[in-house]
Amino acid sequence: NVWMPYHRYVWLRYYGYIIKGDVVRFIDGDPLNCDIRNLIAMPRKDHPLLRSRYGAKFLPKEKIQFYKERYISARGRCHAKS
């Protein structure tokens, strides 16, 4: 029985995995909104670029799509093998 943050749990239930080195982040910056449509997994190295001294910055739609496609394409490959 392992405890984990709820947003990571939601991500894992939907996609089944998190790429090593990725963090799950809230797209709208609201940590209470754990809807899968509001979550994005991105490389840890890119995460500090979205933080500022004055709070979270928002991701451009192109970046959101890029990060989601990493999981959508890999998810399709996983299901194709099954």
Side-chain angles (χ1 to χ4, degrees), residues 7-25:
H7 64 287
R8 287 179 57 90
Y9 171 78
V10 170
W11 184 271
L12 287 169
R13 290 279 300 174
Y14 189 80
Y15 287 103
Y17 67 99
I18 298 174
I19 296 172
K20 185 174 181 176
D22 277 10
V23 294
V24 179
R25 174 176 164 61

Side-chain angles (χ1 to χ4, degrees), residues 3-59:
W3 184 92
M4 72 174 65
Y6 185 66
H7 64 287
R8 287 179 57 90
Y9 171 78
V10 170
W11 184 271
L12 287 169
R13 290 279 300 174
Y14 189 80
Y15 287 103
Y17 67 99
I18 298 174
I19 296 172
K20 185 174 181 176
D22 277 10
V23 294
V24 179
R25 174 176 164 61
F26 302 96
I27 294 171
D28 68 0
D30 178 5
L32 299 177
N33 184 358
C34 291
D35 187 279
I36 191 66
R37 294 170 294 194
N38 186 45
L39 298 176
I40 189 75
M42 58 190 301
R44 186 176 300 275
K45 69 178 182 69
D46 292 346
H47 190 252
L49 302 174
L50 300 170
R51 303 296 296 169
S52 76
R53 181 178 180 176
Y54 305 104
K57 296 179 184 176
F58 292 97
L59 284 167

